[in-house]
Amino acid sequence: MAACGDDKYEQIRSADLIFESGSVYTMDPKLPEAEAVAVKEGKIVYVGDDTGLKEWRGKDTQIINLKGKMLLPGFVDTHNHAYLRAENIYWVNLEAPSLDSYKAATQNFLAKQPEAKQVRGVGWNLNYVLAQAKAAGRSPAQLLDEIVGKDILAVFITHGHHEVWANTRAMQNAGINATTPDPVGAFIDRDSQGTPTGIFREFGAQNLVISTLPQPDFTVAEYKAAILSFQKKSGATAWCDFCSCAIALSNRQFSGGYKSSR
């Protein structure tokens, strides 16, 4: 009976995970350094020297010997936009300011996804596109039509996320024309006749196009993959994404409700 009782006590008391024989930086001025850490049910239950681990060891405890290496608290980034990693993974990357490079990147994307119903891109240069459109005597939307080269919805966004570049098909899909008013706090670029040129500035205007796309936002699975990729690349264990709050507030104020702004 005593043995059974001891086993039960061990199961209750023992840690799930132990780090031992390391240099633990605790961030606690009362105990700035330690050798060991014990974790149970996702919570730290012990920080101290290796000797104190004895009562936390159990037959199912995972033990990691740090062999003198340093163990640090999680890195928490208080202002980052981890979701933007999804754009890098799932969209066309438009880094070099060249219509030829934009076309090559877009065509490469479409070749890999021939059944795609839309194409999204990120990183285009606003001033460059406006200058190229003016020199060619064409609208930015017409330039994007040539870059895409097929009847498919195309919406690209700048790295700053304040401007969207849409092709003719995307504007038609959204029902945008010369009579479409500028949303409050946002702007639609127009030619001398008042016809939208394909440039949409700020979230309220961007959403006119984006909200009508077949997939206006990333899926949960895509977001998860992107955030895990960001975590692996950056080393951060947690972060606060201020932009998500700003987007939500902006959309409620300028668009009458929450919609995707990407």
Side-chain angles (χ1 to χ4, degrees):
M1 294 296 291
C4 293
D6 290 343
D7 289 343
K8 184 176 181 180
Y9 175 78
E10 179 186 296
Q11 292 174 4
I12 295 174
R13 183 64 172 174
S14 63
D16 300 319
L17 173 65
I18 281 177
F19 295 94
E20 65 179 9
S21 303
S23 177
V24 182
Y25 185 58
T26 68
M27 300 294 289
D28 182 352
K30 296 180 180 179
L31 182 65
E33 294 185 18
E35 288 182 307
V37 172
V39 180
K40 184 175 180 63
E41 296 178 352
K43 296 182 179 181
I44 295 174
V45 292
Y46 171 80
V47 178
D49 57 25
D50 284 350
T51 304
L53 285 174
K54 183 177 181 180
E55 62 181 295
W56 294 103
R57 296 178 187 273
K59 61 181 181 180
D60 295 322
T61 301
Q62 179 185 1
I63 299 176
I64 297 177
N65 190 319
L66 295 172
K67 298 180 180 179
K69 294 181 180 179
M70 178 167 280
L71 180 66
L72 298 170
F75 288 93
V76 180
D77 192 326
T78 58
H79 185 159
N80 212 311
H81 309 299
Y83 73 88
L84 296 182
R85 179 69 175 158
E87 296 177 353
N88 181 259
I89 296 173
Y90 299 109
W91 290 359
V92 180
N93 292 289
L94 308 163
E95 298 295 338
S98 159
L99 294 182
D100 287 339
S101 68
Y102 290 170
K103 185 172 185 177
T106 302
Q107 291 302 315
N108 182 57
F109 175 89
L110 291 173
K112 294 177 179 178
Q113 301 188 48
E115 302 301 319
K117 296 181 179 180
Q118 65 182 49
V119 56
R120 301 295 307 275
V122 61
W124 61 281
N125 186 292
L126 174 64
N127 292 331
Y128 172 78
V129 168
L130 293 178
Q132 291 298 307
K134 182 177 181 180
R138 312 195 72 186
S139 70
Q142 291 171 329
L143 292 184
L144 189 50
D145 291 343
E146 295 178 355
I147 288 171
V148 175
K150 61 186 294 187
D151 186 27
I152 188 174
L153 309 173
V155 178
F156 294 170
I157 198 166
T158 58
H159 274 314
H161 289 70
H162 289 282
E163 298 88 18
V164 149
W165 180 17
N167 71 344
T168 301
R169 183 71 181 84
M171 290 195 292
Q172 292 173 341
N173 181 67
I176 295 171
N177 53 47
T179 66
T180 303
D182 286 350
V184 177
F187 309 92
I188 302 171
D189 281 18
R190 305 171 191 270
D191 62 20
S192 59
Q193 305 301 314
T195 302
T197 65
I199 304 297
F200 298 81
R201 302 175 188 257
E202 306 304 338
F203 296 138
Q206 295 171 16
N207 277 335
L208 295 176
V209 179
I210 296 174
S211 63
T212 63
L213 292 174
Q215 185 183 332
D217 204 348
F218 299 108
T219 65
V220 172
E222 288 171 339
Y223 269 127
K224 183 176 181 179
I227 289 173
L228 290 175
S229 173
F230 175 85
Q231 186 178 44
K232 183 177 181 180
K233 186 178 180 65
S234 68
T237 55
W239 55 86
C240 176
D241 193 333
F242 174 78
C243 192
S244 297
C245 300
I247 287 172
L249 289 174
S250 176
N251 284 325
R252 290 191 181 104
Q253 181 177 356
F254 299 139
S255 301
Y258 180 82
K259 296 177 182 177
S260 168
S261 298
R262 293 176 296 281

